[in-house]
Amino acid sequence: MLYNTMIHEAKNHNRLALNATHAVYNARIKFIKLALDITTLGSGFRSSVVNKDISDLSDRINRLALNAELDFVGIVTGDEIPLCRLSPHQISNQITLPENPLVRHTIRHRLMTAGTIVFPQEFMILENPELAKRLQNVPKNAPEQKTTDANKQRSCMAIAAAIPIFETRSGGNLIGVLYGGMLLHQNMRIVNSIPKSFLFDTIQSKADTPTVSIFFNNICIVTNMVDRNGKQTFGAHVPDDVRQQVLIRGNQWTTRQQDSTDRYLVSYDPICDIFGERVGMLSIAISESNHLFLQHKFILYLSLAILASVIFAIAMGIFFTHRIMQPIHRLIKASQEVSDGNVSPDLGPISNDKEIAVLQITFGQMVRSMKRRRMESQTKIIQSEKQASIGRLAAGVGHEINNPLTGVLTYTHMLLRKKDISEDIRSDLNVIVESTERIRKIVKGLLDFSRQTRLDPERIDINRLAASTIKLMENQALLKGVLIEFKPGKDIPMLVIDRSKIESVLLNILINALDATKSADTITAQTTTAVSANDVDHGGVEIVITDTGCGILPENLNKLFDPFFSTKEVGKGTGLGLSVSYGIVKEHGGTIRVQSEFGKGSTFFIWLPLNQQNQEKQDR
């Protein structure tokens, strides 16, 4: 009875081990897909595909194959024309090439594809001639499985993925496909990555290691099982009943098999390709001696456990009650609070028990992560509403502002045509024309922003632009008794930006700083190279404007970029300047942020990306 019970439990253990084995198999597929996906996101990859820069693409796929341990990697155009691959053979204009079903499926559906795939052997050898050594000893189907389809006898099985490449990250025309994968034939990397034993560590040294095998149809193509001579036993055929249950009916199947030295419990699971067809099997074999050894150990340990439980029952009860159950109860209560919406539950003191302490710390990290993600989502929603408000404002008011400005400009030009006015009056009229033209340009920029118009970029020396903008404010600052200093950074790279829009951003922040200061205060502007506050991999240029004025109240910092929000008196500000500036900087792919201490001053940080990131922003 005990033996039958152990065999039943052993079969259940085999099935669990088989599920874990299949999970490792699927994890390897996901890893291949992730490696290819990351490669397509690399800087310049899409540009190299468009320009057919074979040298750069070859370097990229060779590094991808090395880092991800891939047997074959290649790139084809949207017309299935090979562009480059790992093979040292040159890509030629061959009239007929072996079919690549993975690429064809990806192009047809315009989606990522990953999974098991059956390739013609000619295709695999063309992709990587080194693989011919692993394919030359592939046995044919069993006699009872002979087929007239000669292609099936010249096929091989692999795990692979393919990523479609579009003109832009958001879509567009399909310009190519990146594909890659691993040939399963005699590939020990997967079977060796399966855990050596699914039994207890205490019996590992005395138990035989489970063996894992992968079958193409009913033929073993890779295994870590060895015969008595120490050779791998790939090439064997499964029994017909296993083939019927697994390949034909699609069942998970466990059976007992005998070899010359031992009896095994062997579990099989079907492998389906990307088209849903069963093309192979995954199996795990565990020696029955493992379970017999476990039976003897179980009887011994059970006897010792019964004796120990009688002696230490009271002590263990107190231990579990005071050192384990109380922290667990607190975690249960905290879980209920989180489900009710409280993302700051009281977890109590950290337990002295290491396992419970890890559980408490992990739970706390999870709750903090939930809180952070909720705040990030709320911030994004609020900022989207802000931008929508700016758009509605510009669309509704922009045209109405232009009408009176046109009248002012027209009559001013009419006055300038008169010859009997003094030079002082003519100079003042010219100031009116310049100011009116600037207002019209700002309104036009606001309208363009609301219509999502593209930028008019040009290569700009940001130091020169900042200096000329500050010069416009010097007279106004001199009248107020405020000193404006500019500290240009050294070796600042050129930026590709819209001159007028960035100038309006700098003017707006300088005007706000001047309004916040009083006589004898200072305003300092400086430029420097810096990385993005959101992504340390993106370099750029940062313009920092600091004033020693009145500062901003803490409760107003989160509202600073809201449309119509202003701390100025009624009639002295519209509350649009910073919201429009935020949109302009964001349109350039940059960021704008502020630090302020009430009564001591404020600092604005305007970060703009270098040319490459800025160009990517334009493409999107």
Side-chain angles (χ1 to χ4, degrees):
M1 177 66 70
L2 181 60
Y3 176 80
N4 292 334
T5 302
M6 293 300 297
I7 291 298
H8 176 73
E9 291 300 319
K11 289 183 177 180
N12 290 334
H13 179 267
N14 259 49
R15 284 191 288 270
L16 292 174
L18 182 62
N19 292 337
T21 301
H22 216 139
V24 174
Y25 181 90
N26 292 332
R28 176 65 67 169
I29 295 175
K30 292 180 180 178
F31 172 77
I32 295 174
K33 181 174 71 172
L34 179 61
L36 266 64
D37 194 18
I38 292 174
T39 299
T40 62
L41 298 176
S43 175
F45 178 83
R46 184 178 291 103
S47 176
S48 295
V49 173
V50 172
N51 297 325
K52 296 184 178 180
D53 187 348
I54 304 302
S55 175
D56 180 68
L57 294 176
S58 297
D59 180 66
R60 289 176 184 271
I61 67 173
N62 275 279
R63 283 189 279 113
L64 170 62
L66 178 64
N67 295 330
E69 299 182 336
L70 302 183
D71 294 325
F72 58 95
V73 183
I75 303 174
V76 301
T77 66
D79 299 324
E80 296 187 56
I81 299 175
L83 200 57
C84 66
R85 56 177 175 240
L86 286 181
S87 173
H89 300 158
Q90 295 294 327
I91 298 292
S92 61
N93 296 324
Q94 302 177 54
I95 298 176
T96 59
L97 292 172
E99 179 184 353
N100 188 336
L102 178 65
V103 169
R104 181 160 296 178
H105 183 271
T106 302
I107 292 176
R108 182 177 301 169
H109 296 278
R110 296 171 64 88
L111 295 172
M112 293 184 186
T113 305
T116 305
I117 185 72
V118 176
F119 289 106
Q121 287 190 27
E122 295 85 351
F123 168 82
M124 194 61 64
I125 295 174
L126 182 64
E127 287 292 314
N128 187 350
E130 293 294 327
L131 301 180
K133 300 176 183 178
R134 287 159 51 183
L135 293 172
Q136 61 184 346
N137 296 324
V138 175
K140 298 182 179 180
N141 292 326
E144 65 273 18
Q145 300 303 320
K146 288 183 179 179
T147 176
T148 58
D149 188 358
N151 291 331
K152 291 187 177 179
Q153 303 235 3
R154 297 195 302 272
S155 300
C156 56
M157 190 166 72
I159 54 175
I163 308 295
I165 307 167
F166 298 99
E167 288 181 330
T168 63
R169 291 184 180 177
S170 59
N173 294 327
L174 181 67
I175 60 175
V177 175
L178 172 66
Y179 65 92
M182 299 171 58
L183 178 66
L184 294 177
H185 295 252
Q186 303 187 53
N187 190 333
M188 299 300 297
R189 289 195 295 269
I190 293 182
V191 295
N192 287 337
S193 64
I194 308 298
K196 292 183 178 180
S197 177
F198 296 97
L199 301 177
F200 299 106
D201 292 338
T202 54
I203 66 172
Q204 175 64 42
S205 59
K206 297 183 179 180
D208 294 332
T209 302
T211 58
V212 179
S213 303
I214 299 177
F215 294 81
F216 179 29
N217 291 326
N218 63 332
I219 305 170
C220 179
I221 57 175
V222 60
T223 181
N224 57 3
M225 179 180 288
V226 296
D227 57 19
R228 62 178 59 189
N229 296 323
K231 295 183 178 180
Q232 295 171 348
T233 58
F234 78 94
H237 296 77
V238 297
D240 186 66
D241 61 333
V242 175
R243 185 186 66 82
Q244 287 288 336
Q245 290 291 338
V246 182
L247 283 178
I248 305 303
R249 301 180 184 178
N251 297 327
Q252 192 179 88
W253 189 253
T254 300
T255 184
R256 299 172 69 184
Q257 295 181 2
Q258 175 77 46
D259 68 4
S260 58
T261 59
D262 202 356
R263 182 182 293 273
Y264 294 88
L265 279 176
V266 187
S267 296
Y268 298 85
D269 203 17
I271 297 176
C272 295
D273 64 5
I274 61 174
F275 306 106
E277 297 181 2
R278 290 185 289 274
V279 295
M281 295 178 289
L282 192 64
S283 78
I284 184 167
I286 301 179
S287 172
E288 286 188 4
S289 61
N290 282 336
H291 308 295
L292 293 176
F293 182 74
L294 180 61
Q295 177 184 351
H296 299 153
K297 283 289 184 180
F298 176 76
I299 296 174
L300 176 61
Y301 290 158
L302 180 62
S303 301
L304 293 176
I306 293 174
L307 179 62
S309 63
V310 173
I311 298 174
F312 297 104
I314 297 177
M316 291 301 293
I318 296 174
F319 173 80
F320 278 107
T321 300
H322 292 282
R323 296 193 58 184
I324 297 180
M325 296 310 297
Q326 287 184 359
I328 290 179
H329 285 314
R330 283 198 297 267
L331 285 176
I332 293 174
K333 183 179 179 181
S335 300
Q336 293 173 345
E337 292 179 3
V338 172
S339 65
D340 292 335
N342 179 17
V343 291
S344 300
D346 182 15
L347 300 180
I350 300 299
S351 173
N352 293 327
D353 184 90
K354 293 183 179 179
E355 288 77 9
I356 300 299
V358 170
L359 182 60
Q360 288 177 308
I361 294 172
T362 304
F363 185 85
Q365 292 173 345
M366 180 192 70
V367 172
R368 288 191 294 272
S369 178
M370 291 173 57
K371 183 177 180 180
R372 184 176 63 255
R373 291 179 181 177
R374 174 186 290 184
M375 294 178 63
E376 290 175 354
S377 298
Q378 290 175 347
T379 301
K380 290 180 180 178
I381 293 173
I382 292 172
Q383 199 58 50
S384 297
E385 292 176 352
K386 293 178 183 178
Q387 298 306 310
S389 299
I390 296 174
R392 290 192 296 269
L393 168 72
V397 179
H399 291 292
E400 297 299 327
I401 295 177
N402 266 334
N403 290 335
L405 286 178
T406 301
V408 171
L409 190 60
T410 300
Y411 282 105
T412 305
H413 278 296
M414 292 175 63
L415 290 173
L416 283 171
R417 292 194 186 99
K418 293 183 177 182
K419 300 181 179 180
D420 56 347
I421 58 176
S422 65
E423 288 302 321
D424 292 340
I425 296 177
R426 185 177 299 276
S427 176
D428 293 339
L429 290 175
N430 284 325
V431 172
I432 294 174
V433 170
E434 291 176 0
S435 300
T436 306
E437 287 288 355
R438 181 171 171 271
I439 294 173
R440 289 185 63 183
K441 196 169 186 180
I442 293 173
V443 172
K444 181 180 180 298
L446 190 59
L447 287 172
D448 289 341
F449 180 75
S450 70
R451 297 167 184 157
Q452 299 298 317
T453 57
R454 294 178 62 86
L455 300 174
D456 184 16
E458 56 181 307
R459 288 178 61 84
I460 297 296
D461 183 344
I462 196 66
N463 282 339
R464 183 174 297 177
L465 177 62
S468 62
T469 305
I470 291 172
K471 189 174 183 64
L472 295 176
M473 298 295 300
E474 286 182 346
N475 290 336
Q476 188 174 349
L478 185 62
L479 292 175
K480 194 173 182 178
V482 176
L483 175 64
I484 300 182
E485 296 180 339
F486 177 51
K487 300 177 180 178
K490 295 182 179 180
D491 300 325
I492 300 297
M494 300 286 284
L495 293 180
V496 179
I497 58 176
D498 190 311
R499 174 190 292 272
S500 62
K501 290 189 176 182
I502 295 301
E503 184 181 36
S504 67
V505 172
L506 297 178
L507 277 174
N508 183 69
I509 294 177
L510 288 171
I511 290 172
N512 287 345
L514 191 60
D515 290 341
T517 54
K518 57 185 182 298
S519 180
D521 282 340
T522 60
I523 299 174
T524 303
Q526 58 184 351
T527 57
T528 181
T529 56
V531 297
S532 171
N534 300 325
D535 188 351
V536 295
D537 292 331
H538 281 183
V541 174
E542 193 166 59
I543 308 167
V544 183
I545 300 176
T546 303
D547 66 71
T548 58
C550 60
I552 304 169
L553 291 171
E555 59 267 23
N556 291 336
L557 283 175
N558 292 332
K559 307 175 187 177
L560 208 58
F561 298 104
D562 289 354
F564 303 111
F565 176 79
S566 176
T567 58
K568 300 178 182 178
E569 298 178 3
V570 177
K572 293 187 177 181
T574 63
L576 290 175
L578 287 179
S579 62
V580 173
S581 297
Y582 177 90
I584 292 173
V585 173
K586 183 178 179 182
E587 195 175 10
H588 280 78
T591 58
I592 181 171
R593 55 192 178 92
V594 61
Q595 293 178 355
S596 181
E597 186 174 354
F598 186 71
K600 294 186 177 181
S602 305
T603 301
F604 281 80
F605 302 87
I606 306 168
W607 181 85
L608 296 170
L610 293 180
N611 300 354
Q612 187 172 6
Q613 287 80 19
N614 197 12
Q615 186 61 43
E616 291 179 358
K617 178 68 179 177
Q618 289 297 303
D619 293 340
R620 293 196 294 271

